[in-house]
Amino acid sequence: MTAWLDALIQGVLLGGLYALFAAGLSLIFGVMRLVNLAHGDLIVLAAFVILVVADRLGLDPFVAVLIALPILFLVGFALQHVLLNRTLGGDLLPPLLVTFGLSIIIQNGLLQIFSADSQRLRVGAMETASIPLGGGIAVGVVPLLTLLSAIAVIVFLNLIFYRTAIGRAFRATSDDLEVAQLMGIDHRRIFAMAMGLAFVVIAIAALYLGLRANFDPSIGPARLLYAFEAVIIGGLGSFWGTLVGGIVLGLAQTIGAQIDPEWQILAGHLAFLAVLAIRPRGLFPRAQD
Amino acid sequence: MERGATGPARSFRIETAGRGARAAAACACIILPALALLPAVAGRNLIQELIFLFYMLALAQCWNLLAGYAGLISVGQQAFVGLGGYVLFALTLLGGINPLLAIPLAGLVSAMFALPTALIVFRLRGAYFAIGTWVVAEVYRLVFAQFKPLGGGTGTSLTPSITSSVPGIEWVRTLLDVRAPAARDVISYWVALALAAGTLALVYVILRSRRGLALGAIRDQEAAAAGLGVDIYRIKLAVYVATSAMTGMIGALIYLQKARISPDAAFSVLDWTAYVIFITVIGGIGTMEGPVIGAIIFYLMQRYLADFGAWYLILLGTLGILVMLSAPKGLWGLVSERFELTFFPTRRRLVAKDEDCHRA
Amino acid sequence: MALLETRKLTAFYGDFQALYGIDTIVDQGETIAIIGANGAGKSTFLKAVAGLIRGAPDGVLLDGEPIGARPASDIVKLGIVLVPEGRRLFPSLTVEENLKIGGYGRKMHGPWTLERVYALFPLLKERRSSATPTLSGGQQQMAAIGRALMSNPRVLLCDEISLGLAPIIIADVYAALPRIKAEGTSVVLVEQDIVQAMKVADRIYCFQEGRLSLTGRPEALTRDQIHRAYFGP
């Protein structure tokens, strides 16, 4: 019985990590209708950036990520401005294939630089610290922080999108690109800003990816799939929906693992396919898309 | 369009072959038999490399039909390569069926799996469809990794009794005076050649049919095609199932030749999707000639550059991006626009009879 | 010097030519009406001026400066704003947010503020937090005009603002025009309704199949002249 309760709690906490993965993807798709096949690899790239900053400057990862944030914002801005803006324009194929190519380049570039060794972001005692809830169940500090950060990120994104001028610009551009231009919005700059913002979210996701588990250059694609599944389960167009989607996915995985540890990932995929079959628009879809 | 003035009555006819096509047809009549007779003079290495070229070409033609014509950009076709391979292994190892017979059966099973897969995955559009197909491929991989009779996560090999039961080995041994493994490669070569030629022929026939005209319309302007009454959903479904069946057969051949299978290899995104996409994009998506060019280029790159490991893959990725951004119609697109060439005539041209004008 | 001028303006949709060399002039404070049959190129003309269709740099001149090749977002900053055909409000934004975003690109201090726009269109103030798809056609048109005014434009381009509206609503919408003109804004309107156009315009241009077929002051033009210019010989 406690094993199942534990699986539930771990599932919710894991969902926080998946929600972080998904939030960046959802943001980019929401604003510019771009699905970035390199998303997972960018999270891994960000994790390596944090690792390097932490190692070189002898810093705690939480501090290192603060330093990495502006760097990664600029990287995202530049990536969109220089490369990805050229792929947007109605045709489906270019953004898909360019980001796919990017995915391969990033994976192999990281492999060249860092080798295939597993890495980890170290925080000393916090890694194994946990808060006991009684009855033999404990909640890990890092997983809890992950979930809380996911909630904070989503609150932050909603604030930007719904309470600021640039958020209005994001939503307007997403609604109607042509008319947004008639408002004086330079859509290429807006897209670059959105990508920069997405990279900030990616950086935070990368922090918790690296804290919770080992990472290496090859794990990107799997993270993309989880991010994508969380977005679809939650429903396109809603950040809170993405949190729910992440949690549903996390629960599916931990419950599957409870039945048989080898079934963890498969259970997640099957849950996704089930949602797709039964409620193709997700659990909390927005009106228009 | 006429403004009252009447001109001479014109008759029109629809033409598909141009001068390039006639030359190509003539070449095919020479090339195909030449390739078939090649094992008489070629060494084993060349035979193995050509097997690779042929099945990559066949996979690329399938992906091109799916993505370039039907607009279904899938990054999950490795699902059917692996499925085909595993079905072959299951039928031969567990079912005692002859390996060559298992190949078309693998195609059939792939079609059976493709149908329910499509019904679910077709609920997604565009890039989300692409990732959805990837998820499905992952599901296939994970399921087969659990299937202990075929080795689970580590995979399994074909037994010598099976590899030697491929029909024709003895005949080839005596004819060409080679050892059994080389003879098996020659048989695989002929099957691969047949599959490549067959795939080309099948794609060609589809594109020249009425369905093909519809596909061309979907490729060019989907919304307009729908407005004209083209049943987009059914055609896409048919193309998805058909290409998955072909892909399954190719997968069966690949793993018959390799004689060893594992989930990670059989369902590899890199080998069966990334490389295939690269071939199609570099060569020219949405044309039949493109994948042929792309396959040859890729084969050469694999041959001379694959040793560079990660750098080679970075190069492939970069090239793919550059081509996509600066020459989206691929190398063949550049050539054919410049010289107005077509080797596989699938476009219809309206020819007015009383004037000497042709408009492509 | 005219405020806005087009010289031999051409416009293409891909290979299709929609405008064949249009010469127009808009002086400071004028209201110009553009009439013509469907497909004559009226909307295309506005889009070309607004920068949604790019052409030769000196096809469009603002204060004598060539702007014909500049993108739409730049042109807004220069003070030329288009109220697009069909209203095209942003469905993800409330009425008030739609108004606010009108001022995003061009942050000019001028007569038009949120409060002044609400004063011009009181109905909008009541519905300020509503989602725009729930507004009636007339309210949407007012919101679209208000949105454009928020950038304090020098030239307001209006594309078929009476389209799909009942006559009494059209009158309400057009009632706002004098107040807009009073602030010194120049207005170019494309209008299917010839009578309405003649009532508000200082000068008229008539388009026919991508070319100018007639121009003049409303009082100086006869019905026959307009009929011929509109429908062709």
Side-chain angles (χ1 to χ4, degrees):
Chain A
M1 187 54 211
T2 43
W4 286 100
L5 191 55
D6 190 49
L8 258 135
I9 295 178
Q10 297 311 318
V12 172
L13 295 175
L14 183 59
L17 182 64
Y18 292 158
L20 277 174
F21 291 164
L25 197 67
S26 178
L27 163 59
I28 300 173
F29 186 76
V31 176
M32 55 187 120
R33 297 283 182 284
L34 171 73
V35 176
N36 185 358
L37 291 187
H39 184 73
D41 303 291
L42 288 169
I43 297 177
V44 174
L45 174 65
F48 274 101
V49 168
I50 298 173
L51 182 71
V52 166
V53 169
D55 274 350
R56 288 291 160 84
L57 301 180
L59 293 171
D60 184 273
F62 285 96
V63 180
V65 77
L66 288 176
I67 298 181
L69 277 179
I71 302 176
L72 287 166
F73 177 88
L74 289 171
V75 170
F77 191 96
L79 179 68
Q80 183 69 32
H81 207 67
V82 168
L83 182 65
L84 296 178
N85 267 343
R86 292 192 203 198
T87 66
L88 297 170
D91 197 11
L92 200 54
L93 213 49
L96 213 67
L97 297 186
V98 167
T99 54
F100 192 66
L102 202 59
S103 161
I104 297 195
I105 293 175
I106 294 175
Q107 279 179 55
N108 287 281
L110 287 175
L111 195 58
Q112 261 320 96
I113 302 175
F114 295 102
S115 89
D117 292 341
S118 266
Q119 314 278 356
R120 190 71 178 268
L121 293 175
R122 298 273 163 216
V123 273
M126 202 197 282
E127 276 165 40
T128 46
S130 62
I131 303 172
L133 292 181
I137 299 183
V139 167
V141 168
V142 168
L144 184 61
L145 269 178
T146 312
L147 179 63
L148 294 175
S149 299
I151 295 175
V153 163
I154 289 177
V155 167
F156 171 69
L157 286 177
N158 272 322
L159 242 147
I160 292 195
F161 267 66
Y162 292 96
R163 298 291 170 98
T164 66
I166 198 167
R168 278 196 291 276
F170 284 153
R171 285 183 287 141
T173 310
S174 161
D175 275 347
D176 194 333
L177 184 61
E178 206 180 42
V179 178
Q181 292 173 336
L182 293 178
M183 305 292 110
I185 295 175
D186 181 355
H187 66 280
R188 291 161 312 166
R189 234 183 128 247
I190 285 290
F191 287 167
M193 292 290 291
M195 185 58 88
L197 183 60
F199 265 60
V200 167
V201 177
I202 284 175
I204 298 173
L207 170 68
Y208 289 107
L209 171 74
L211 288 177
R212 283 184 64 128
N214 293 333
F215 61 94
D216 67 75
S218 71
I219 70 166
R223 311 310 121 181
L224 168 71
L225 295 189
Y226 300 153
F228 159 74
E229 289 174 339
V231 170
I232 297 290
I233 293 175
L236 290 169
S238 160
F239 289 123
W240 287 115
T242 300
L243 179 65
V244 172
I247 290 177
V248 169
L249 182 63
L251 282 171
Q253 285 195 356
T254 51
I255 292 174
Q258 193 57 32
I259 301 174
D260 182 337
E262 287 192 8
W263 289 9
Q264 173 174 346
I265 299 174
L266 184 58
H269 290 329
L270 291 177
F272 161 74
L273 290 176
V275 171
L276 195 56
I278 303 171
R279 278 191 74 133
R281 294 194 66 208
L283 299 175
F284 300 100
R286 265 284 148 89
Q288 56 274 339
D289 219 1
Chain B
M1 288 300 177
E2 325 295 315
R3 279 271 185 122
T6 49
R10 284 187 192 160
S11 61
F12 295 91
R13 93 178 172 270
I14 296 185
E15 206 179 71
T16 39
R19 42 161 229 258
R22 284 186 263 271
C27 280
C29 291
I30 304 173
I31 292 180
L32 217 51
L35 284 176
L37 295 173
L38 200 60
V41 298
R44 194 175 175 198
N45 272 335
L46 180 59
I47 295 292
Q48 285 179 334
E49 291 188 345
L50 285 176
I51 294 176
F52 174 75
L53 173 63
F54 292 158
Y55 67 61
M56 290 308 280
L57 171 59
L59 285 175
Q61 284 292 347
C62 288
W63 193 83
N64 185 32
L65 186 66
L66 201 56
Y69 283 92
L72 293 168
I73 301 160
S74 161
V75 294
Q77 288 310 90
Q78 65 271 20
F80 300 106
V81 173
L83 182 63
Y86 267 98
V87 167
L88 180 109
F89 271 54
L91 289 175
T92 54
L93 282 173
L94 307 175
I97 295 181
N98 186 282
L100 280 193
L101 184 57
I103 292 179
L105 286 177
L108 198 60
V109 173
S110 296
M112 280 162 40
F113 274 77
L115 192 55
T117 301
L119 292 178
I120 295 185
V121 158
F122 275 23
R123 290 166 185 265
L124 296 167
R125 321 234 99 221
Y128 281 145
F129 167 80
I131 306 184
T133 59
W134 195 346
V135 172
V136 167
E138 281 295 291
V139 169
Y140 283 32
R141 178 178 71 85
L142 290 166
V143 167
F144 278 102
Q146 295 294 317
F147 193 57
K148 301 300 184 233
L150 285 178
T154 45
T156 188
S157 306
L158 288 178
T159 59
S161 64
I162 292 180
T163 52
S164 56
S165 72
V166 174
I169 290 189
E170 279 310 312
W171 181 73
V172 170
R173 275 192 68 184
T174 40
L175 187 68
L176 298 177
D177 190 27
V178 289
R179 312 249 293 286
R184 210 183 84 239
D185 276 347
V186 170
I187 307 278
S188 298
Y189 171 86
W190 281 330
V191 176
L193 177 59
L195 272 178
T199 309
L200 276 170
L202 187 60
V203 171
Y204 181 64
V205 163
I206 291 177
L207 289 178
R208 282 194 66 143
S209 70
R210 275 181 53 191
R211 293 253 164 66
L213 188 56
L215 275 177
I218 293 176
R219 175 195 61 186
D220 287 337
Q221 262 297 1
E222 184 167 324
L228 287 173
V230 174
D231 190 341
I232 306 268
Y233 187 83
R234 277 183 65 184
I235 290 187
K236 287 188 171 185
L237 189 61
V239 171
Y240 186 82
V241 171
T243 49
S244 302
M246 289 193 272
T247 305
M249 287 202 284
I250 299 167
L253 166 71
I254 292 172
Y255 282 99
L256 174 61
Q257 201 249 341
K258 288 184 193 268
R260 164 144 188 91
I261 200 168
S262 73
D264 287 347
F267 295 100
S268 156
V269 171
L270 183 66
D271 290 323
W272 312 126
T273 282
Y275 289 159
V276 169
I277 293 180
F278 176 81
I279 288 175
T280 314
V281 167
I282 297 277
I285 195 169
T287 67
M288 280 191 68
E289 300 84 347
V292 176
I293 309 280
I296 295 172
I297 294 178
F298 177 69
Y299 158 71
L300 291 171
M301 288 183 73
Q302 275 288 103
R303 187 145 192 263
Y304 294 110
L305 298 177
D307 285 339
F308 289 96
W311 283 120
Y312 170 59
L313 292 172
I314 294 177
L315 174 67
L316 280 190
T318 313
L319 262 179
I321 291 179
L322 287 175
V323 170
M324 202 69 235
L325 290 180
S326 55
K329 295 207 172 137
L331 288 174
W332 178 249
L334 293 175
V335 168
S336 82
E337 269 173 13
R338 202 76 219 290
F339 301 109
E340 291 228 353
L341 272 182
T342 322
F343 289 141
F344 292 96
T346 54
R347 295 189 110 167
R348 276 79 168 165
R349 288 147 81 241
L350 191 65
V351 177
K353 211 168 171 202
D354 66 349
E355 280 184 348
D356 208 22
C357 68
H358 288 218
R359 283 156 79 243
Chain C
M1 182 173 58
L3 172 61
L4 179 68
E5 197 183 328
T6 68
R7 283 192 198 156
K8 297 196 183 11
L9 180 63
T10 57
F12 291 83
Y13 290 108
D15 285 335
F16 170 71
Q17 183 158 10
L19 295 177
Y20 289 88
I22 306 283
D23 294 331
T24 60
I25 287 183
V26 180
D27 284 318
Q28 174 73 45
E30 269 198 308
T31 297
I32 307 288
I34 300 188
I35 60 176
N38 274 330
K42 315 189 295 296
S43 286
T44 308
F45 175 75
L46 288 188
K47 287 186 187 169
V49 171
L52 287 179
I53 299 176
R54 314 261 274 273
D58 48 8
V60 184
L61 301 161
L62 180 66
D63 289 330
E65 293 298 315
I67 60 168
R70 310 268 297 261
S73 45
D74 279 359
I75 301 218
V76 169
K77 295 190 171 73
L78 294 172
I80 301 178
V81 173
L82 172 65
V83 181
E85 185 182 350
R87 274 81 74 174
R88 289 173 81 176
L89 295 171
F90 297 112
S92 297
L93 275 56
T94 62
V95 169
E96 181 151 313
E97 288 179 322
N98 265 280
L99 295 177
K100 281 185 175 173
I101 199 137
Y104 185 89
R106 177 173 153 91
K107 296 175 177 36
M108 290 293 291
H109 286 298
W112 296 109
T113 62
L114 197 57
E115 285 313 313
R116 289 280 322 265
V117 170
Y118 281 141
L120 185 63
F121 297 122
L123 282 169
L124 291 183
K125 188 162 189 179
E126 288 167 29
R127 307 290 304 271
R128 69 203 295 178
S129 309
S130 305
T132 49
T134 63
L135 265 56
S136 70
Q139 289 166 336
Q140 286 190 16
Q141 191 60 72
M142 292 177 192
I145 296 174
R147 182 177 65 176
L149 289 175
M150 288 291 292
S151 62
N152 283 294
R154 300 173 67 194
V155 182
L156 184 68
L157 308 172
C158 295
D159 199 348
E160 306 244 26
I161 54 181
S162 66
L163 198 64
L165 300 181
I168 195 170
I169 310 292
I170 296 177
D172 281 343
V173 171
Y174 268 96
L177 209 57
R179 309 254 284 280
I180 297 173
K181 291 175 67 164
E183 300 294 346
T185 313
S186 313
V187 178
V188 179
L189 3 115
V190 160
E191 187 47 74
Q192 285 261 24
D193 182 344
I194 302 182
V195 172
Q196 187 64 255
M198 305 272 272
K199 263 198 269 184
V200 299
D202 297 322
R203 275 187 304 121
I204 307 243
Y205 287 96
C206 186
F207 278 38
Q208 195 203 81
E209 291 188 357
R211 293 181 171 81
L212 273 178
S213 56
L214 184 64
T215 176
R217 309 191 69 84
E219 52 275 13
L221 301 173
T222 69
R223 275 188 80 179
D224 264 348
Q225 269 180 309
I226 296 178
H227 197 268
R228 250 179 297 128
Y230 204 97
F231 294 106

